[in-house]
Amino acid sequence: MKIISYNVNGIRAAFAKDFTTWLSFANPDIICFQESKAQPEQINIGAFSDLQYESYWYSAQKKGYSGVGIATKHKPNHIEYGTGIDYIDFEGRVIRLDFDNFSVISVYVPSATNISRLDLKMQFCYDFLKYLKELRKTIPNLIVCGDFNICHEAIDIHDPIRLASVSGFLPMEREYLSKFLDEGEFTDAFRYKNPETRQYSWWSYRANARANNKGWRLDYNMVSNTLKDKIQRAIILPEAMHSDHCPVMVELDL
């Protein structure tokens, strides 16, 4: 089972950059999207159908903002739009597909580039963790894919000293990811399979950051510890150039 997470920074813009050719070549079983920036009727559903995917989308009420989705080649038993937490669901940040033996979640954690949003971001993070801990009582096998807008460790960011006071690498944010893994009983699939690899999934559009590989690892496939031993491979795919992010992939023996 090959699962990809991809913050496309606008699904319509990605389509304009030949996204479907890349998707056909990558050929994941399931792909989770963040920051679709589109209402469902604005998305080329037919392009997914042509590649044998059913796709499901949960958009923000504000047009052109946020939004998540999942496309799958395997028919889900249930689709859950949102979390039931009003302020989270208003911005279209979580969608879940349930299958026979596992569930996949696409999540887009708020950024706090505007520091006034930091409190909201942290509230979202801890409310989302609480939601997952409750969910795992009935669905123990969860795969949470998405843009967490946080680098966890120094290895995950190109300049950990200079950026230590910048949102995305603040101590409180990093502490949250540690709690997510420990209290939530999740494994960071990429770091589990690549303990020493310094690789990133997001680069600023400024100062030629991507060409100079001055990046951040903000995108994760978090796998319930109940599935940890089933992780076969976890990689980052920087050759995909449809966004300021690149896709991250995990393969599991499911």
Side-chain angles (χ1 to χ4, degrees), residues 140-205:
N141 297 332
L142 291 175
I143 303 162
V144 181
C145 307
D147 176 4
F148 280 70
N149 265 311
I150 301 170
C151 293
H152 188 204
E153 303 290 355
I155 194 174
D156 298 314
I157 192 167
H158 71 92
D159 191 346
I161 295 174
R162 188 176 63 85
L163 296 171
S165 60
V166 176
S167 179
F169 197 56
L170 296 174
M172 70 174 68
E173 295 170 309
R174 299 172 63 193
E175 179 185 7
Y176 165 73
L177 271 193
S178 294
K179 289 184 176 181
F180 184 96
L181 296 169
D182 295 340
E183 296 180 15
E185 299 180 15
F186 284 96
T187 294
D188 173 354
F190 178 79
R191 190 54 66 209
Y192 174 61
K193 300 301 286 187
N194 308 276
E196 305 296 332
T197 301
R198 184 177 292 275
Q199 198 170 359
Y200 312 121
S201 67
W202 175 82
W203 302 262
S204 171
Y205 281 129

